[in-house]
Amino acid sequence: MTTPLRPVVALTLGDPAGIGPELVARLLSRPDVPRQANVVLVGDPWLWEEGQRVAGVRVATRAVEDFAEVRARPDADVPAFLPMNTVDPVDVIVGTARAAGGKSVLQVLDRCMTAAMDGQIDAICFAPLNKHAMKLGGLRHEDELHHFAEYLGVTTYFCEFNTMDALWTSRISSHIPIKDVPRYIDKDRIKDATRLIHRSLLANGIAAPRVAVAALNPHGGDGGTCGREEVEIIEPAVRELVAEGLPIEGPYPADTIFLKARDGQVDAVVTMYHDQGQIAIKLLGFSKGVTVQGGLPIPITTPAHGTAYDIAGQGRADDNAIANAYAIACRMGLAQRQGATR
């Protein structure tokens, strides 16, 4: 019998002061999880032990010295554990953003990305991190996505996607002040973001993605009387995408487009700024949402919620979002692996 092709997925524990270690322990205790991929858990041994203690579970793992061992000797029934020593327990205060925790996160993620560039893994799923802690620990960028892009040498368009069940969103601008949003609205960015999410939906197994584009202004600009961006930029970008043969619709007013999404009429919405899509996604399912780092050479996913410092260490964390993030990493990682073996 032929062994099914499985992706190698790196799984990290996230911010050591947050709920990440507990989430990963709960995730790996699910009986179906090891069968979806050859998992490599990456992090500090003491932190992994603490995550299991808080979650009230014990998960069998097999120690490995590097990622290449997992590619060479896959064992889908027992997750691999690649230990690192990045942070001392005395430097971690549960529920508090600290430089030591942020530095730890960066070291673990960088190790995973190096493995990705070496062709040793197919996807990364990371538990929640804290941007403030990471900046204290040395992050020089506005967010982790820009760190990933620089580390991986990405020079083409990239952006975050947010997903909730079957609905995906991308955005033209991200972690910037609202006052700066209009200068990011141009045809090339709109077309790049739309093409990117269309390709990513295909990689996630959606055969014929339906993508809609949101307007920027109230009522879609009311024909130019409430803003000119729709008339001069967004509508022309949509027309050009349609001319390329992509099934793109819009622009639709932002206060109604998610009704179409909720009713299953579209698979993805291209939004103009962070909260335009995030409010809707988190309202539809805060505990289920996933963030996908789009436009990178390897799939990278994470729960859309944060480190939940207020409940860290209490054994109350909901693992549905990280389970969804892991499932997407597995699907996209498999597509990545299949593409590399053709």
Side-chain angles (χ1 to χ4, degrees):
M1 179 180 292
T2 302
T3 302
L5 184 67
R6 292 187 178 92
V8 177
V9 176
L11 180 64
T12 80
L13 297 168
D15 187 296
I19 61 172
E22 175 191 352
L23 291 177
V24 172
R26 291 190 190 283
L27 173 69
L28 290 181
S29 70
R30 294 187 176 202
D32 61 317
V33 163
R35 293 193 292 270
Q36 297 179 51
N38 296 312
V39 181
V40 189
L41 175 62
V42 188
D44 288 58
W46 75 265
L47 189 57
W48 172 228
E49 288 296 320
E50 179 65 9
Q52 293 175 88
R53 184 194 67 78
V54 174
V57 301
R58 294 299 301 175
V59 179
T61 60
R62 58 189 179 95
V64 296
E65 294 184 1
D66 57 44
F67 291 97
E69 286 185 50
V70 182
R71 182 73 91 194
R73 296 189 297 106
D75 184 345
D77 295 326
V78 181
F81 179 49
L82 197 162
M84 294 183 65
N85 294 301
T86 65
V87 62
D88 195 294
V90 300
D91 294 324
V92 176
I93 299 176
V94 174
T96 303
R98 303 191 80 187
K103 183 178 180 181
S104 165
V105 166
L106 287 167
Q107 289 177 330
V108 171
L109 289 174
D110 288 355
R111 178 85 180 267
C112 294
M113 287 190 291
T114 297
M117 290 189 291
D118 291 341
Q120 296 174 344
I121 60 175
D122 303 301
I124 300 169
C125 177
F126 64 90
L129 48 77
N130 182 277
K131 291 179 178 60
H132 178 56
M134 291 174 70
K135 288 177 181 177
L136 291 174
L139 179 67
R140 298 179 293 105
H141 300 281
E142 64 189 57
D143 55 30
E144 66 275 14
L145 173 58
H146 286 77
H147 175 73
F148 295 154
E150 180 182 89
Y151 198 98
L152 296 169
V154 175
T155 57
T156 53
Y157 185 82
F158 58 89
C159 72
E160 279 189 354
F161 303 143
N162 288 100
T163 78
M164 200 285 298
D165 292 335
L167 174 63
W168 288 51
T169 66
S170 66
R171 48 187 182 255
I172 307 307
S173 63
S174 190
H175 298 107
I176 61 169
I178 287 292
K179 67 180 178 62
D180 294 335
V181 168
R183 66 186 180 89
Y184 283 79
I185 310 300
D186 65 55
K187 284 203 304 180
D188 287 340
R189 289 182 69 87
I190 292 167
K191 291 192 292 184
D192 286 342
T194 306
R195 294 185 192 112
L196 179 57
I197 200 166
H198 186 268
R199 291 197 303 270
S200 297
L201 287 168
L202 289 171
N204 198 50
I206 299 175
R210 300 162 299 167
V211 181
V213 177
L216 172 67
N217 295 297
H219 302 169
D222 269 341
T225 62
C226 190
R228 300 287 303 173
E229 285 84 359
E230 287 74 19
V231 173
E232 297 174 358
I233 302 171
I234 304 175
E235 290 177 5
V238 170
R239 287 197 298 270
E240 291 177 19
L241 288 164
V242 171
E244 293 177 13
L246 294 180
I248 311 303
E249 303 176 2
Y252 294 108
D255 60 355
T256 60
I257 193 170
F258 282 96
L259 297 176
K260 294 172 68 69
R262 180 199 64 188
D263 294 341
Q265 297 177 37
V266 297
D267 301 303
V269 177
V270 179
T271 63
M272 297 297 117
Y273 57 93
H274 183 278
D275 285 4
Q276 192 179 55
Q278 282 289 78
I279 290 172
I281 285 284
K282 290 186 176 182
L283 183 62
L284 287 170
F286 181 78
S287 65
K288 298 186 291 183
V290 175
T291 297
V292 180
Q293 314 291 329
L296 306 182
I298 182 172
I300 303 180
T301 69
T302 189
H305 61 69
T307 49
Y309 283 155
D310 58 323
I311 63 168
Q314 299 177 25
R316 298 166 48 199
D318 185 330
D319 63 338
N320 281 312
I322 196 167
N324 292 339
Y326 171 77
I328 291 173
C330 291
R331 288 195 296 271
M332 297 184 76
L334 179 59
Q336 181 103 346
R337 182 85 183 269
Q338 289 171 331
T341 57
R342 288 195 180 108

